[in-house]
Amino acid sequence: MVTIKEAATKKELVDFMEFPLILYRDNPNYVPDILSSQVADMQRDKNPAFAFCDAKCFLAYRDGQVVGRIAGILNERANAKFGKKYLNFTHVDFIDDDEVVDALFDAVEAWAKQLGCEAVHGPLGFSDMDREGMLVEGFDRPSLFYTYYNHPYYMEHMARRGYDKQVDWVELRITLPTEPDQTFTRIADYVKKRKKLHVVSLGDLPIKRIMEDMFSLYNNTYQVLFGMVPMTDEQMLKYTGEFRPMVDKRTTSFVYNDKGEMVAFGICCPALDKAMQKIKGRTMPFGWVSLLRALKGKNDTVDLLLIAVRPDLQGMGVNAIVLDDMQRKLIKSGFRYAESGPMLELNENILSQWERFQTEQHKRRRCFVKELS
């Protein structure tokens, strides 16, 4: 018999977040997230998204053991922006068992109906900065430290529960050139001169100013994408703290105009999958040492985190400035590969910029949706 319990206490939230460590114990492709950060995200006094969101975490038990989990998020700002009352499901993991899956989704769908929602979709988080999308291709590849991993059998249960595709993201493994592509250099030099743009390095401006400019530009650029709701000032402060350790002059590029405005940026970091697997998502007491070593040590792969060009300058070659600067820095630092992270399959602006690189589309993830009767 399966019983469902809402995870409300700190201990229950820890059990909720640690369940994947049990489920994927012997899977070399599962990469955990930072446990303390995940638990904090579900605590109302620690996550500023609760100013406009509500959330519940559900644990499935059988014979006293956790056999599954799922969370629901009601995002009032997202529903207001898109004119629909949807409930997001997130953090979904389960053993391959119909009774367990049905109990979990019955719980989250019942809460959605109680709230008057017309549909449930996901996996989606509190914001576009959170993990999203269920893996549907690429089960034989390690996940990134900021993406979900799941078993192939998940898709069968989603279909059985009546969930259909809403949108897909694709991921690329990019082979970096051994020498800078001069095409990017020529375009970059031309656009910098014509648009009066220049690259700002870390140290040229206070890091706080750069991070504020970056997230402000992110808000302005990404809001046209699926499910994206601009972050509040409090959310930007939260993510600034999370991103700050990954901002390194070897792996970032910031472009400003002659008015002192950031108009484009690119940010990536050395791949953290092996370090995350080693510490099992636990940063205390010594996990941070492994993460810092991964960020500062030798590595041949970077994880691409964010890239953006101000909307009024898109299609004018400004992205070539970022790509030219980044390729030079990464080649000089000895990186050979880049993992793109999820990109919307219909986002031609972002997908087309990788056409000059050798790429392999090796993963795909999906947002599922189910209309509620």
Side-chain angles (χ1 to χ4, degrees):
M1 179 179 176
V2 176
T3 58
I4 296 292
K5 182 179 180 181
E6 182 181 347
T9 68
K10 175 74 173 293
K11 181 183 182 306
E12 289 166 344
L13 286 175
V14 171
D15 291 342
F16 182 91
M17 295 304 179
E18 285 189 332
F19 174 65
L21 293 173
I22 300 171
L23 186 64
Y24 302 108
R25 182 186 294 115
D26 300 318
N27 193 314
N29 296 314
Y30 169 71
V31 178
D33 198 354
I34 295 177
L35 178 63
S36 59
S37 177
Q38 292 182 88
V39 173
D41 276 352
M42 289 298 176
Q43 295 179 293
R44 296 175 184 276
D45 60 336
K46 294 184 178 180
N47 187 348
F50 276 102
F52 52 88
C53 290
D54 196 5
K56 286 187 178 184
C57 298
F58 300 98
L59 283 166
Y61 293 87
R62 177 183 282 154
D63 299 327
Q65 300 296 316
V66 177
V67 290
R69 68 170 190 169
I70 195 170
I73 299 172
L74 180 69
N75 188 324
E76 298 284 10
R77 291 183 71 219
N79 286 336
K81 177 181 177 179
F82 298 109
K84 297 179 179 180
K85 191 160 187 180
Y86 278 20
L87 186 80
N88 299 352
F89 75 83
T90 185
H91 291 84
V92 58
D93 286 291
F94 43 77
I95 64 173
D96 190 8
D97 184 290
D98 290 0
E99 183 184 15
V100 172
V101 175
D102 289 343
L104 288 168
F105 278 93
D106 283 349
V108 82
E109 289 169 16
W111 187 46
K113 291 177 181 178
Q114 179 185 336
L115 294 169
C117 294
E118 58 192 90
V120 175
H121 67 163
L124 294 168
F126 289 98
S127 81
D128 194 54
M129 297 292 291
D130 296 334
R131 292 185 175 199
E132 54 190 12
M134 183 177 290
L135 194 66
V136 296
E137 295 176 8
F139 303 102
D140 60 337
R141 302 296 185 96
S143 60
L144 304 183
F145 74 95
Y146 60 91
T147 61
Y148 285 120
Y149 183 83
N150 55 263
H151 288 302
Y153 63 72
Y154 281 36
M155 289 184 291
E156 300 171 12
H157 290 286
M158 298 306 295
R160 185 179 60 80
R161 289 291 305 184
Y163 283 81
D164 299 313
K165 172 184 173 179
Q166 186 173 21
V167 70
D168 275 9
W169 296 266
V170 296
E171 299 178 38
L172 303 179
R173 181 168 177 80
I174 302 163
T175 300
L176 301 174
T178 55
E179 296 290 338
D181 186 324
Q182 294 303 316
T183 299
F184 288 131
T185 303
R186 287 194 296 270
I187 296 173
D189 289 344
Y190 173 77
V191 175
K192 280 190 285 188
K193 183 176 180 180
R194 186 180 181 206
K195 297 293 182 181
K196 298 180 180 180
L197 306 178
H198 61 281
V199 173
V200 168
S201 298
L202 291 177
D204 294 345
L205 290 174
I207 184 63
K208 184 175 182 292
R209 159 77 185 281
I210 289 178
M211 297 295 286
E212 289 174 351
D213 290 348
M214 185 185 82
F215 279 114
S216 178
L217 181 57
Y218 166 85
N219 260 357
N220 186 26
T221 303
Y222 278 64
Q223 63 178 307
V224 298
L225 299 180
F226 168 80
M228 198 283 182
V229 178
M231 292 186 291
T232 63
D233 290 344
E234 292 76 15
Q235 284 180 293
M236 285 193 282
L237 184 63
K238 170 185 181 291
Y239 289 114
T240 294
E242 294 179 2
F243 264 74
R244 177 61 187 90
M246 294 178 280
V247 178
D248 187 289
K249 62 182 180 181
R250 300 178 304 159
T251 58
T252 54
S253 181
F254 306 102
V255 181
Y256 281 76
N257 62 19
D258 59 347
K259 299 177 183 178
E261 302 165 331
M262 183 184 288
V263 298
F265 71 85
I267 178 170
C268 58
C269 72
L272 294 177
D273 52 320
K274 291 181 176 59
M276 286 292 192
Q277 288 175 328
K278 179 180 179 180
I279 68 174
K280 295 181 170 58
R282 299 180 179 91
T283 56
M284 300 300 289
F286 304 116
W288 281 114
V289 176
S290 294
L291 290 181
L292 289 174
R293 283 175 178 169
L295 288 170
K296 303 301 181 182
K298 290 185 66 65
N299 199 325
D300 69 348
T301 303
V302 291
D303 294 335
L304 304 183
L305 304 179
L306 293 170
I307 186 168
V309 175
R310 203 170 71 183
D312 63 310
L313 293 174
Q314 290 177 7
M316 298 183 182
V318 176
N319 65 318
I321 302 175
V322 175
L323 293 174
D324 181 54
D325 186 40
M326 291 288 284
Q327 70 171 344
R328 293 176 180 277
K329 290 175 178 176
L330 295 179
I331 292 170
K332 182 180 179 180
S333 299
F335 294 104
R336 293 289 297 117
Y337 305 97
E339 293 280 347
S340 73
M343 301 176 291
L344 285 166
E345 64 178 348
L346 300 178
N347 188 351
E348 290 299 328
N349 285 339
I350 191 70
L351 292 174
S352 62
Q353 69 182 348
W354 308 119
E355 289 177 352
R356 291 193 61 82
F357 294 90
Q358 178 184 337
T359 63
E360 176 194 8
Q361 192 260 294
H362 62 319
K363 297 177 196 168
R364 177 181 294 269
R365 56 188 65 248
R366 180 163 298 163
C367 177
F368 289 89
V369 63
K370 178 181 178 179
E371 302 291 329
L372 299 176
S373 57

